[in-house]
Amino acid sequence: ELGDAALDVASSDGDWGVLSPGTTYTITADGQISPLTAEGAYEINDVLFWDIEGGTAYGSPIQVTFTLPPYFTGDGGSGFARIPYSVTATSAGWFNEDPAPGVYYQPIDPRVPNTVYLNDGVSAFIGLGGVLSIPANVPSADVNTTYEGVFILTAAYTGF
């Protein structure tokens, strides 16, 4: 904590919709998905993002680092298919407002530490997409399962 400028990070759960076996999906940081989901959507239901608030520290540099899962697992425990997950140099993004489809953002690489800056509302928003490769041979018992992954964003003041 630096004076009254404590750094607070809050996350939102993402929901990438109903996806089809045998398809590789690319999701952008603002929630657009390609190809269309099994429901015909071109954007996801809920963008996976973090809201970083810095008290009164307008313009402060914040270093963000991700810890990402290599795959998603079925929410029923072990025994479900694993859905491979990866990222590219532009899978994450730094926003000045809540991430949503069509909202401008600066792409960032989630594989390396990045420096972002708090806006005039002393917040920064980080959205995350990625690449999901749904295996073609997902067992039929696993098809209607919700899959989950744990994503961690670490944020710290830097540059003082």
Side-chain angles (χ1 to χ4, degrees), residues 29-80:
D30 68 349
Q32 296 182 50
I33 188 166
S34 177
L36 299 178
T37 67
E39 300 164 309
Y42 64 91
E43 47 191 55
I44 60 174
N45 296 332
D46 296 307
V47 177
L48 174 60
F49 77 94
W50 292 264
D51 177 1
I52 303 169
E53 293 184 6
T56 59
Y58 167 70
S60 294
I62 307 295
Q63 184 178 63
V64 295
T65 305
F66 292 90
T67 302
L68 305 172
Y71 51 83
F72 282 44
T73 55
D75 68 354
S78 63
F80 288 95

Side-chain angles (χ1 to χ4, degrees), residues 2 11 17 28 30-31 33 35-38 51 53 60 67 79 81-82 91 108 111-112 115-116 122 128 131 142 145:
L2 299 171
S11 64
T28 60
D30 68 349
I33 188 166
L36 299 178
T37 67
D51 177 1
E53 293 184 6
S60 294
T67 302
R82 291 182 174 178
S91 290
I108 59 175
R111 300 171 295 188
V112 298
T115 300
V116 301
V122 293
L128 181 65
V131 179
D142 294 359
T145 298

Side-chain angles (χ1 to χ4, degrees), residues 88-103:
T88 68
T90 59
S91 290
W94 165 35
F95 297 75
N96 275 325
E97 59 186 289
D98 288 350
V103 172

